[in-house]
Amino acid sequence: ILRLVRLVRLSKVLRVVRVMKAFKSLRVLVSAVAYSVGALGWSMTLLFVFELIGAIFLAQVLRPIIEEEEDEELRDFLVRKFGTWTHSMMSLFEITMAPGGFIAYRVLYEQVHVVFGLFIATYVCVVTFAVVRVITAMFLKATLSASDHDEARTAKDKAKQRDAYSQRLRELVESEDPAGRITEEEFVEVVRLPNMREWLEDLSMTEEAAMRLFRAMEKGGGQILFAEFIVALMRTRGGPKGADSVVMLWESLSSFERIKALHKAMIDCPVDHLVRSSVLSTAAPPPPRSTGASLPSRSQSPTCTVPHHYATG
């Protein structure tokens, strides 16, 4: 039972290691090893096949030479290196894995036969150089994939935390205003919260850009829907360009809404009335005429107005 308790405590420590940023490199290394287990098995299998073929070839070809060789020193060397299948496998393993390991076997093509030099050169070029480097590149790819997977998992966890955080902020805003609207002063306070500031920094969005986004979302009354602001943050991707794109998108939507309102007013109202209502709206009313034809009363004029927010914004 005590061992199980210790294992549970160890799992908690590993969970801390998974979360903390200081252990990111360790997580990537462990993930790379875990992801490359399958590739490691197949790589070792492929190298074993090549070494097996080379070992059997050298052991079979050198067997008659060992039996007929009169030079005791050369025969002892051939027996130690290629006398049995296991000795031959170890020799091929040295040639494959040890840097420059084939140099120790120059005696094969210097004192036995030049054909062995051709065999060793071909084996080194194909297996030691090409195959081993392809396997190294595959392990490097596994490491990069593990790093990308770790970043994606971290981003997913962070997205969940921010979703929960934004939900709490929405509930707080709706407790003050059931419509979910906030003023500019409240918006500044929200933007300067530590968690919100960290969120904006991750999106490369400055406080000035956030204020631009507020003014673009504001449709009169000095308030915005807090839910729209959260949705805009959720959709921001790609660093500084992504944040600028979201801000400019909302500014374009705001300008489009103003143009639509002005266009609708121009269709519904005569042009001369629009000019008079926009130019003379703040002027003092003219004195009444005592004689002659009187101007149409307010009740007789066309009942159409330009929205104040769009006309003056």
Side-chain angles (χ1 to χ4, degrees):
I1 297 176
L2 293 177
R3 291 181 179 179
L4 292 177
V5 173
R6 291 175 181 175
L7 290 175
V8 172
R9 292 180 179 177
L10 179 61
S11 65
K12 292 181 179 179
V13 173
L14 294 177
R15 188 179 303 174
V16 173
V17 170
R18 176 184 173 184
V19 174
M20 291 183 64
K21 294 182 179 180
F23 296 96
K24 180 180 179 181
S25 299
L26 177 60
R27 291 199 311 268
V28 172
L29 290 175
V30 174
S31 300
V33 172
Y35 280 116
S36 60
V37 169
L40 176 64
W42 286 110
S43 301
M44 293 297 101
T45 302
L46 180 62
L47 289 179
F48 176 79
V49 171
F50 280 113
E51 292 173 3
L52 179 62
I53 294 173
I56 293 175
F57 173 78
L58 291 177
Q60 292 294 327
V61 172
L62 291 174
R63 186 66 183 177
I65 298 176
I66 294 174
E67 295 176 352
E68 298 175 0
E69 183 60 42
E70 297 179 357
D71 189 348
E72 292 292 335
E73 184 178 354
L74 177 59
R75 186 173 64 181
D76 289 341
F77 175 81
L78 296 178
V79 170
R80 284 186 291 104
K81 298 297 182 181
F82 306 99
T84 62
W85 175 78
T86 55
H87 292 172
S88 185
M89 280 292 295
M90 288 302 300
S91 299
L92 265 294
F93 182 80
E94 291 177 359
I95 295 174
T96 304
M97 295 300 179
F102 63 93
I103 298 177
Y105 300 91
R106 293 180 59 179
V107 66
L108 290 177
Y109 55 85
E110 289 180 351
Q111 300 184 27
V112 180
H113 200 281
V114 69
V115 174
F116 292 104
L118 180 62
F119 172 81
I120 292 176
T122 304
Y123 184 88
V124 170
C125 293
V126 174
V127 180
T128 305
F129 179 77
V131 176
V132 172
R133 277 161 176 76
V134 169
I135 292 173
T136 303
M138 185 172 59
F139 277 101
L140 179 60
K141 180 181 178 182
T143 304
L144 296 176
S145 299
S147 178
D148 294 339
H149 180 75
D150 183 76
E151 291 179 359
R153 183 176 58 186
T154 303
K156 186 176 180 180
D157 294 340
K158 188 175 292 186
K160 290 182 179 179
Q161 295 175 0
R162 287 174 176 170
D163 187 45
Y165 176 68
S166 62
Q167 186 63 33
R168 292 196 300 268
L169 288 179
R170 288 182 187 178
E171 294 175 354
L172 180 61
V173 170
E174 291 176 357
S175 65
E176 299 292 335
D177 185 357
R181 297 181 177 273
I182 58 174
T183 62
E184 184 173 353
E185 292 77 10
E186 295 171 341
F187 180 79
V188 172
E189 293 179 1
V190 170
V191 168
R192 293 178 179 176
L193 291 174
N195 291 337
M196 182 60 70
R197 186 185 295 273
E198 181 183 358
W199 191 354
L200 296 179
E201 288 178 355
D202 289 343
L203 299 178
S204 299
M205 181 181 293
T206 61
E207 186 174 342
E208 291 77 10
M211 293 306 302
R212 285 175 53 195
L213 186 59
F214 175 88
R215 297 186 186 97
M217 291 180 173
E218 192 260 329
K219 297 181 177 60
Q223 294 180 333
I224 65 168
L225 286 173
F226 185 72
E228 289 185 350
F229 175 71
I230 294 299
V231 171
L233 293 184
M234 291 293 187
R235 293 180 178 178
T236 303
R237 296 290 186 274
K241 293 183 178 179
D244 292 339
S245 299
V246 170
V247 174
M248 288 188 291
L249 173 63
W250 279 96
E251 289 177 343
S252 300
L253 290 175
S254 177
S255 300
F256 180 68
E257 291 295 333
R258 296 184 182 186
I259 293 173
K260 281 177 59 178
L262 292 174
H263 182 263
K264 185 176 182 303
M266 292 177 66
I267 293 176
D268 296 340
C269 304
V271 177
D272 57 345
H273 179 77
L274 283 175
V275 173
R276 286 193 301 170
S277 61
S278 61
V279 175
L280 302 178
S281 58
T282 58
R289 298 185 181 182
S290 58
T291 59
S294 61
L295 291 174
S297 62
R298 180 169 297 183
S299 60
Q300 295 173 345
S301 62
T303 57
C304 55
T305 58
V306 180
H308 177 73
H309 175 67
Y310 294 116
T312 60

